[in-house]
């Protein structure tokens, strides 16, 4: 604050701030958007030859050994959440 | 009620305890043949075998519920704080006893918060990796997260894993939206109580039974497990039980001096968590500032982005990081940055929520004054805003540091042996059943965590934590 | 595809029952009787030129300062004993190692290779098929370690191109809690309903030993063996070594375990012992190789050469694992002379292990 006072008539320095916010936004893209987008991209490519294919979805959601875990997850999560309806002090 | 502070502290302690550590401890306690509780039961009753079996879906449910109830606790207790005592008092004046008051007045008021808390627990449970990996693979039961992990084992199917992970993401996102709606609606009900005075509730003779009920979760989530972990970490072989000749400090010596891998992992954990906390806090403050002062076109989107990882399960985020940064052009895999950036991303919402609420409560006058005096935006931000936010920034830093230190589900996909952290070593040790050094490392990790919490408590007082706990 | 007889023809022509001693005898024959009594501090098999090579290799390795070693060969304390022995022999070189199951370290190596991450020097897995795959990709360095001649001759040239060499020998056997007076005598005994809820095994998707064992059982008895085994509700861990933890803690009574880990635990006073199955112990020949783009190439060579020193075999024997050299006797109390063993051929493992993992997941659900 003390530093602000002498600048009363000082010439305005070029405002760098949009740069800073843009960098922050870019980092967020790199941290959040890019990885999630890559999941989408990866999911439609074959593990064997990297061709574009919906086969992964077909395999993941038709084979019973992959469907059972989904059922288990839902049961597990539902049962774990149930007792938390307990009132707290 | 007696011991209110104690219960708050214990709840916080189970909040910071990672459930995979709890799961390990419960293996010692409740493995069907060798668990200590089962053995005690057999010794007491002469039954052929104990009645507990931790290697079941039910066992995993119990462990996960024990460590996710603090979420519900946080939601409900914050809602309860808004319930005006007058309403409860007037019910009492009209002749209702406290049970009836609680049932008819208090519970309906906090019901949305209870449901929101339960949804929170659901989100946590479905994204949980460590506990199912420790308890359900031996039980031959798979859940989504352990199946995802298997897709990354030999012969690996990362792209199939990506396809398999997306529905998990869909579930968490829709539940989160549902929870937001519920909370918004709930707020209208409780907001009526604004300005009400809170008077501690007198439970009379009911004090002790209520206290006992409240103490039950901490006994099962903290007291028994930590006793088991400590005992194991001090044993030559945990299966032999606490008998003379089984006592040793060798595993602590192993973890802190002898085993270079463990020592390096401890150093990595601390330094990566610190770096992640620094990045997340800095980013959170900058973006929250840009959002609240609308400094960029579409600033609100920035806010959504910063909060987005909140609904992304750690394992899904890790698969994304792996897909994006384990191959050219940008290879972070194999470097510390892979883990640091993943941790920072994963816990960014905590720091963002903290910064946002701190900025909202900040008086704009000082900033405006500086601006009027000709100070640039950046300078004002650095000289005025940041110093004012110092306390909140430190608290945010800690609240990212603590979960980063104990993060397993993303670390397990992203580390290479050169960048292993404590949780990786713990997970690796579990595959051979090396439970004694595992327990010692777990105790060391938690000692670091609780030490930090104690320091923070000294610095900021309980209020900061009471509030942050909700993030 | 696998060898029909318990004694491998390619290993031991003549159809005799191959015994530990016979193997060592073969090795000794090559080394030469005169060297048998040689000073233990030197490595006799290398002949006169060897020490100079070793000294210069050590000097170069010392400049690099450290070596990164991933091993699945034995339990953690054996790996630590090897590290300690190496550091004692070659001070100034730091050994960074991890001990993990074979498929896990292989997976990590594959990911590193894909991402172009250079971090590993010496790779020691228990699944021989990993090495044929890596060799095809051209990522293994052809190197003839010093002292390779100390190995029994039959094991000196597992890979004709010398891209990998034998680093450890071990067996999958039946291990059991000593409160059992009569342990199961053969693999098929484990299918008896009396062992329901009492069996512990590892997972072929993680452990190379288990993968080897599963392929062997599959070829011997058909996949039916595992559908029947599943009815006995075995506890499925990850590493084969986990079976010992389960048995020692009393969680389970019998398992398909490795000899070394079980005997090591027994030697520490734990209630566990081993039974050589009448229908063959499964011999695991675990290779070791130096990576072509190892960040510490000379230290890597030094470490691989260390496998054939007396110190290494002593560390093996101290932790109840089989030794690689004739002049260090096999771990005490285990008369392996009459052990009937069976070994999967590497060509069978290449296809068989991934298939076995997939079938295992269908049968056991994990």
């Amino acid at each position: 604050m003390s530093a602000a006072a002498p600048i009363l008539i000082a010439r305005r320095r070029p405002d760098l701030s949009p740069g800073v916010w843009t960098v922050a936004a870019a980092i967020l893209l790199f941290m959040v958007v890019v990885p999630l987008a890559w999941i989408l991209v990866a999911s439609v490519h074959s593990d064997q030859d990297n061709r574009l294919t919906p086969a992964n979805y077909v395999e993941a959601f038709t084979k019973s050994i992959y469907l059972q875990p989904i059922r288990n997850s839902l049961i597990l999560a539902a049962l774990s959440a149930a007792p938390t309806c307990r009132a707290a002090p | 009620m007696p011991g209110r502070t104690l219960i708050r502290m214990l709840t916080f302690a189970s909040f910071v305890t990672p459930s995979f550590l709890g799961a390990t401890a419960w293996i010692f306690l409740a493995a069907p043949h060798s668990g200590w509780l089962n053995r005690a039961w057999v010794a007491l009753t002469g039954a052929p075998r104990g009645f507990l079996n931790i290697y079941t879906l039910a066992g995993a449910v119990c462990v996960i519920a024990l460590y996710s109830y603090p979420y519900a606790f946080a939601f409900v207790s914050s809602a309860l704080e808004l319930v005006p005592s007058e309403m409860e008092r007037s019910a009492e004046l009209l002749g209702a006893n406290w049970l009836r008051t609680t049932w008819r007045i208090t519970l309906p008021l906090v019901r949305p918060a209870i449901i929101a808390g339960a949804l929170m627990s659901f989100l946590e449970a479905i994204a949980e990796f460590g506990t199912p990996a420790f308890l359900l693979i031996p039980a031959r039961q798979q859940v989504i997260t352990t199946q995802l992990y298997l897709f990354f084992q030999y012969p690996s199917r990362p792209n199939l894993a990506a396809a398999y992970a997306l529905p998990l993401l869909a579930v968490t996102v829709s539940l989160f939206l549902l929870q937001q709606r519920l909370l918004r609606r709930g707020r209208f009900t409780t907001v009526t109580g604004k300005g009400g005075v809170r008077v501690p509730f007198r439970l009379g003779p009911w004090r002790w039974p209520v206290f006992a009920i409240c103490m039950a979760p901490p006994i099962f989530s903290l007291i028994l497990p930590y006793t088991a972990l400590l005992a194991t970490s001090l044993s030559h072989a945990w299966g032999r039980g606490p008998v003379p000749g089984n006592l040793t400090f060798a595993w602590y010596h192993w973890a802190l001096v002898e085993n270079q891998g463990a020592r390096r992992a401890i150093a990595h954990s601390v330094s990566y968590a610190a770096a992640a906390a620094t990045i997340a806090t800095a980013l959170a403050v900058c973006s929250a500032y840009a959002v609240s002062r609308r400094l960029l076109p579409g600033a609100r989107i920035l806010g959504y982005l910063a909060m987005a990882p909140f609904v992304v399960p750690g394992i899904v985020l890790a698969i994304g990081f792996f897909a994006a940064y384990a191959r050219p052009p940008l290879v972070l895999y194999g470097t510390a940055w892979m883990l640091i950036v993943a941790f920072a991303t994963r816990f960014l919402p905590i720091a963002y929520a903290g910064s946002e609420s701190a900025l909202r409560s900040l008086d704009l006058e000082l900033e405006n004054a500086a601006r009027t005096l000709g100070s640039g935006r950046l300078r004002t931000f650095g000289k005025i805003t940041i110093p004012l936010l110092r306390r909140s920034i430190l608290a945010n830093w800690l609240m990212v540091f603590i979960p980063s230190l104990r993060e397993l589900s993303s670390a397990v996909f992203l580390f290479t042996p050169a960048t292993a952290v404590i949780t990786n070593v713990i997970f690796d040790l579990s595959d051979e059943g090396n439970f004694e050094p595992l327990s010692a490392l777990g105790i060391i990790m938690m000692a670091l965590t609780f030490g930090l919490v104690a320091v923070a408590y000294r610095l900021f007082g309980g209020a900061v934590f009471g509030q942050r706990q909700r993030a | 595809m696998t060898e029909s007889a318990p004694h491998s023809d390619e290993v031991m022509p003549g159809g005799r029952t191959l015994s530990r001693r016979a193997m060592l005898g073969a090795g000794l024959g090559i080394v030469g009787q005169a060297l048998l009594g040689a000073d233990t501090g030197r490595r006799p098999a290398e002949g006169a030129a060897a020490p100079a090579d070793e000294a210069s290799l050590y000097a170069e390795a010392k400049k690099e300062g450290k070596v990164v070693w991933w091993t699945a060969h034995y339990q953690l304390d054996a790996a630590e004993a090897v590290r300690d022995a190496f550091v004692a022999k070659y001070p100034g070189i730091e050994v960074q190692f991890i001990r993990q199951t074979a498929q896990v370290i292989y997976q990590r190596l594959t990911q590193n290779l894909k991402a172009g991450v250079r971090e590993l020097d010496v790779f020691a897995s228990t699944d021989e098929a990993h090495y044929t795959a890596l060799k095809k990709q051209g990522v293994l360095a052809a190197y003839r370690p010093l002292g390779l001649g100390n190995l029994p001759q039959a094991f000196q040239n597992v890979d004709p191109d010398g891209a990998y060499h034998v680093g450890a020998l071990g067996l999958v056997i039946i291990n059991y809690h000593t409160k059992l007076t009569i342990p199961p005598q053969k693999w098929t005994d484990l299918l008896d309903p009396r062992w329901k809820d009492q069996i512990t095994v590892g997972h072929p998707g993680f452990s190379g030993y288990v993968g080897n064992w599963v392929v062997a059982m599959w070829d011997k008895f058909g996949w039916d063996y595992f559908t029947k085994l599943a009815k006995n509700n075995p506890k499925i861990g990850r590493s084969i070594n986990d079976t010992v933890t389960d048995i020692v803690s009393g969680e389970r009574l019998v398992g398909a375990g490795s000899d070394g880990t079980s005997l090591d635990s027994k030697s520490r006073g734990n209630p566990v012992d081993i039974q050589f199955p009448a229908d063959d112990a499964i011999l695991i020949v675990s290779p070791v190789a130096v990576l072509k783009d190892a960040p510490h190439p000379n230290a890597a060579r030094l470490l691989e050469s260390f496998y054939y020193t007396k110190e290494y075999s002593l560390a093996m024997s101290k932790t109840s694992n089989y030794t690689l050299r004739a002049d260090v006797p096999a771990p005490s109390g285990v008369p392996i002379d009459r052990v009937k063993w069976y070994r999967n051929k590497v060509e069978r493992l290449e296809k068989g292990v991934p298939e076995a993992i997939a079938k295992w997941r269908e049968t056991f659900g994990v």
Side-chain angles (χ1 to χ4, degrees), chain B residues 22-48:
Chain B
T24 316
W26 274 97
I27 292 176
F28 309 148
L29 292 165
H33 297 282
S34 54
W36 296 338
L37 294 179
N38 278 330
R39 281 201 237 170
W41 175 258
V42 169
L44 282 176
T45 64

Side-chain angles (χ1 to χ4, degrees), chain B residues 179-201:
Chain B
Q179 188 228 25
Q180 290 296 299
R181 278 188 61 148
L182 279 172
L183 277 184
R184 213 170 298 139
R185 218 182 320 145
R187 211 171 283 149
F188 284 110
T189 352
T190 47
V191 131
T192 53
K194 209 177 171 190
V197 185
R198 298 263 312 138
V199 177
F201 209 77

Side-chain angles (χ1 to χ4, degrees), chain C residues 207-249:
Chain C
S207 163
Y209 267 59
V210 178
N212 241 301
W213 172 71
V214 172
V215 171
M217 295 297 105
W218 184 9
D219 291 348
K220 276 171 168 290
F221 310 114
W223 192 260
D224 201 35
Y225 183 83
F226 293 103
T227 39
K228 285 184 186 148
L229 187 68
K231 294 203 182 89
N232 266 351
N233 195 27
K235 176 173 178 278
I236 297 174
R238 286 179 272 157
S239 169
I240 197 165
N241 299 340
D242 201 14
T243 59
V244 179
T245 314
D246 279 339
I247 289 169
V248 169
S249 70

Side-chain angles (χ1 to χ4, degrees), chain B residues 53-404:
Chain B
N53 182 359
I54 200 67
Y55 294 119
T56 53
L57 205 55
V61 165
C62 290
V63 169
I64 292 175
L66 278 175
Y67 296 95
S68 62
Y69 89 93
Y71 288 94
F73 180 94
F75 270 96
V76 176
S77 77
S78 69
L80 279 170
E81 256 149 40
L82 291 173
V83 174
S85 295
E86 297 115 52
M87 288 176 87
E88 292 170 347
R89 282 252 297 286
S90 45
E92 258 174 277
L93 286 174
L94 291 169
N97 66 9
W98 74 267
L99 254 178
R100 201 177 152 77
T101 312
T102 309
W103 190 251
R104 298 297 294 270
I105 308 287
T106 321
L107 274 185
L109 280 174
V110 296
R111 189 179 298 135
I114 292 179
I115 297 173
L119 281 178
M120 223 17 247
S121 303
F122 188 97
L123 278 179
E124 277 295 303
I126 204 165
E128 175 67 38
F129 168 69
T131 304
F134 283 28
L135 299 182
L136 292 182
I137 290 184
R140 295 167 46 195
Q141 301 260 20
Q142 293 271 41
V143 293
I144 300 178
T145 49
T146 52
Q147 181 62 57
L148 285 171
Y149 177 71
L150 284 191
F151 284 144
F152 271 75
Q153 297 309 313
Y154 174 80
S156 81
R157 304 286 310 274
N159 292 352
L160 179 59
Y164 196 68
L166 282 173
L168 182 61
L169 191 60
V171 170
T172 56
V173 169
S174 46
L175 278 176
F176 177 72
L177 294 177
L178 181 67
Q179 188 228 25
Q180 290 296 299
R181 278 188 61 148
L182 279 172
L183 277 184
R184 213 170 298 139
R185 218 182 320 145
R187 211 171 283 149
F188 284 110
T189 352
T190 47
V191 131
T192 53
K194 209 177 171 190
V197 185
R198 298 263 312 138
V199 177
F201 209 77
R202 300 254 164 254
L203 286 170
W206 286 93
R207 275 182 303 173
W208 294 105
V210 171
F211 176 70
I213 291 173
C214 293
M215 279 303 286
I219 286 176
F220 294 117
S221 66
L222 293 170
I223 296 168
L224 281 173
Y226 275 102
T227 312
L229 282 176
L230 255 177
T232 304
S233 71
L234 296 172
S235 309
H236 283 292
W238 69 277
R240 279 197 235 159
V243 292
N246 201 9
L247 180 79
T248 176
F249 286 97
W251 301 115
Y252 288 94
H253 185 260
W254 176 89
L256 294 170
V257 184
E258 202 180 300
N259 186 291
Q260 204 189 32
R263 237 172 43 209
R264 266 191 309 147
I266 295 173
H268 284 164
S269 273
V270 173
S271 54
Y272 296 178
T278 310
I279 292 174
T281 329
L283 202 58
V285 172
C286 287
S287 49
Y289 188 74
V291 171
S292 69
R293 307 293 184 256
R294 303 200 183 285
L295 296 175
L296 276 184
R300 281 173 65 90
I301 297 173
L302 212 58
Y304 289 131
L305 278 185
M307 286 305 287
F310 187 68
V311 292
V312 183
I315 210 158
V316 177
L317 190 75
I319 290 171
F321 263 78
F322 189 84
Y325 302 124
R327 53 187 141 195
L330 181 56
V331 180
L332 294 182
Y333 184 75
T335 69
W337 289 108
M338 191 74 162
L339 291 154
I340 293 172
V341 179
F343 292 168
T345 311
R346 184 143 154 65
F347 303 112
L348 178 66
I350 300 179
Y352 182 82
S355 310
E356 198 208 15
S357 67
L359 272 168
R360 213 185 298 132
S361 63
L362 206 66
D363 206 337
L364 279 176
E365 274 167 24
L366 274 172
E367 269 183 40
N368 288 342
R371 299 268 295 151
T372 319
L373 290 170
S375 167
R377 178 60 83 177
L378 214 53
R379 198 177 161 81
T380 317
F381 180 61
K383 294 265 176 184
I384 310 282
T385 318
I386 297 286
L388 286 172
L389 288 178
R390 204 179 44 219
R391 239 173 118 85
S392 134
I393 287 174
L394 275 171
N396 289 336
W397 190 91
L398 273 170
M399 292 315 290
V400 175
F401 184 88
I402 290 171
S404 300

Side-chain angles (χ1 to χ4, degrees), chain B residues 31-34 55 138 140 142 152 154 156 254 259-260 264 326 333 415-418 427-428 430-433, chain C residues 80 94-96 100-101 103 106-108 111-112 115 117 119 236 238-239 241-242 245 249-251 364-365:
Chain B
H33 297 282
S34 54
Y55 294 119
R140 295 167 46 195
Q142 293 271 41
F152 271 75
Y154 174 80
S156 81
W254 176 89
N259 186 291
Q260 204 189 32
R264 266 191 309 147
Y333 184 75
F415 84 111
T416 69
F427 194 72
D428 279 1
S430 77
D431 96 319
E432 258 195 313
Chain C
E80 286 178 335
E94 187 193 340
V95 180
Q96 282 188 1
Q100 250 298 335
T101 51
Q103 306 300 359
Y106 181 59
Q107 178 58 24
R108 285 176 192 164
Q111 281 174 7
N112 276 9
V117 174
E119 144 176 355
I236 297 174
R238 286 179 272 157
S239 169
N241 299 340
D242 201 14
T245 314
S249 70
E251 187 51 50
F364 291 96

